[in-house]
């Protein structure tokens, strides 16, 4: 697998954000993690999304959990929701690789209660530090740092519909639409719901944005029988920003 990753474009020293789905591949998440770290080497950094969208009052994950409850049942359910704990709270819907990376001893994780990232490698702690509550996926998030530092994305058996890098473009649109968010966080006085404002994130057109990403900017290959796509985060963000500016109204 390490040889195939090299042929797919993964190089020593990269800061690599990986989105992976191992369903149907027969691959073990631990084996993919180890192969990636082996190719990236001691100067490289492996990053994965470790999102927790269920820690919300409005996300699809949370609304699915409270579907069918009456108002009182919803109130009791929300009163019992645990606060986000970077060391313990599992990610939700991010796949087996993300959970294996997050739970590997020595992994770093950013502190955002809804859109954290986990990382292993030389720059893991620095990339995951200082992730502001009011910046899900903007410049002051691990994604923003990865973009400014020329990071790469590897899509492993997934398509552009899950390409988190496109979200950074939403922060760069002039006067992006904003919305209110709410989540449970641990404060000195105990677990509390906190409301805050941030960019209104929308991945509904990401598949279309990816379909128009120039083929010359994407390196495609197969690793362990799975289709992969490798590309630059700055290139992806620039493309998504141009596309959104032209097509979103």
């Amino acid at each position: 697998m390490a040889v195939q990753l090299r042929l797919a474009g993964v190089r020593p020293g990269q800061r690599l954000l990986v989105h992976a789905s191992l369903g149907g591949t027969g691959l073990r998440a631990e084996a993919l993690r180890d192969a990636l770290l082996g190719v990236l080497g001691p100067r490289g950094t492996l990053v994965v999304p470790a999102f927790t969208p269920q820690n919300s009052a409005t996300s699809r994950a949370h609304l699915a959990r409270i579907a069918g409850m009456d108002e009182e049942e919803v109130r009791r359910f929300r009163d019992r929701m645990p606060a986000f704990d970077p060391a313990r709270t599992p990610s939700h819907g991010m796949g087996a690789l993300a959970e294996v990376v997050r739970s590997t001893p020595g992994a770093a994780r950013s502190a955002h209660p809804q859109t954290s990232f986990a990382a292993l490698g030389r720059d893991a702690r620095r990339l995951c530090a200082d992730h502001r509550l009011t910046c899900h996926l903007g410049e002051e998030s691990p994604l923003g740092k990865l973009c400014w530092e020329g990071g790469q994305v590897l899509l492993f058996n997934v398509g552009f519909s899950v390409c988190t890098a496109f979200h950074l473009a939403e922060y760069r649109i002039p006067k992006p639409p904003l919305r209110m968010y709410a989540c449970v966080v641990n404060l000195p006085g105990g677990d509390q719901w906190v409301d805050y404002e941030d960019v209104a994130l929308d991945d509904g057109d990401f598949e279309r944005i990816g379909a128009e990403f120039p083929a010359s900017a994407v390196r495609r290959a197969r690793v362990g029988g799975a289709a992969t796509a490798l590309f630059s985060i700055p290139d992806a963000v620039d493309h998504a920003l141009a596309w959104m500016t032209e097509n979103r109204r």
Side-chain angles (χ1 to χ4, degrees):
M1 197 186 308
V3 172
Q4 293 176 336
L5 285 168
R6 291 188 185 97
L7 292 173
V10 179
R11 295 287 181 266
Q14 284 179 335
R15 299 175 185 89
L16 186 67
L17 173 61
V18 180
H19 296 276
S21 173
L22 301 187
T25 68
L27 298 174
R28 294 175 59 250
E30 293 83 357
L32 179 56
R33 174 201 59 193
D34 293 346
L36 285 163
L37 290 173
V39 176
L40 291 170
R43 295 176 57 249
T45 307
L46 172 61
V47 185
V48 295
F51 300 168
T52 49
Q54 76 276 19
N55 184 6
S56 167
T58 57
S59 70
R60 289 190 294 267
H62 178 75
L63 294 176
R65 287 187 170 194
I66 64 172
M69 295 183 184
D70 62 30
E71 185 174 333
E72 179 59 23
E73 289 171 329
V74 169
R75 186 190 65 77
R76 290 199 302 267
F77 178 83
R78 289 179 175 166
D79 285 345
R80 295 192 304 270
M81 282 176 57
F84 173 75
D85 181 344
R88 293 185 175 85
T89 304
S91 63
H92 181 88
M94 298 295 106
L97 177 68
E99 269 300 278
V100 162
V101 171
R102 180 196 68 79
S103 58
T104 297
R109 189 182 192 182
S110 68
H112 199 285
Q114 294 188 335
T115 56
S116 67
F117 290 79
L120 290 165
R122 189 181 74 169
D123 296 325
R125 295 197 179 282
R126 181 179 60 78
L127 288 171
C128 290
D130 304 319
H131 190 172
R132 285 181 50 217
L133 178 66
T134 54
C135 187
H136 283 101
L137 298 167
E139 310 297 345
E140 295 175 271
S141 73
L143 178 61
K145 295 178 186 177
L146 284 165
C147 183
W148 284 109
E149 297 177 16
Q152 303 274 307
V153 172
L154 180 69
L155 300 181
F156 191 99
N157 201 38
V158 296
F160 281 98
S161 63
V162 299
C163 180
T164 301
F166 290 163
H167 280 301
L168 182 55
E170 296 183 297
Y171 285 78
R172 297 185 177 182
I173 296 170
K175 297 182 179 180
L178 305 175
R179 55 161 286 195
M180 295 301 298
Y181 294 87
C183 60
V184 187
V185 298
N186 183 264
L187 296 173
D191 293 355
Q192 297 180 32
W193 279 88
V194 174
D195 298 317
Y196 61 98
E197 187 177 55
D198 195 14
V199 169
L201 301 173
D202 179 8
D203 60 7
D205 50 15
F206 281 12
E207 191 170 344
R208 292 173 59 201
I209 295 173
E212 296 184 31
F213 197 13
S216 60
V218 182
R219 182 164 179 168
R220 297 186 181 275
R222 298 194 73 81
V223 176
T228 64
L230 181 79
F231 50 90
S232 155
I233 294 177
D235 286 351
V237 174
D238 288 347
H239 165 71
L241 178 57
W243 194 97
M244 292 175 187
T245 301
E246 177 67 24
N247 294 282
R248 284 191 177 182
R249 295 291 185 268

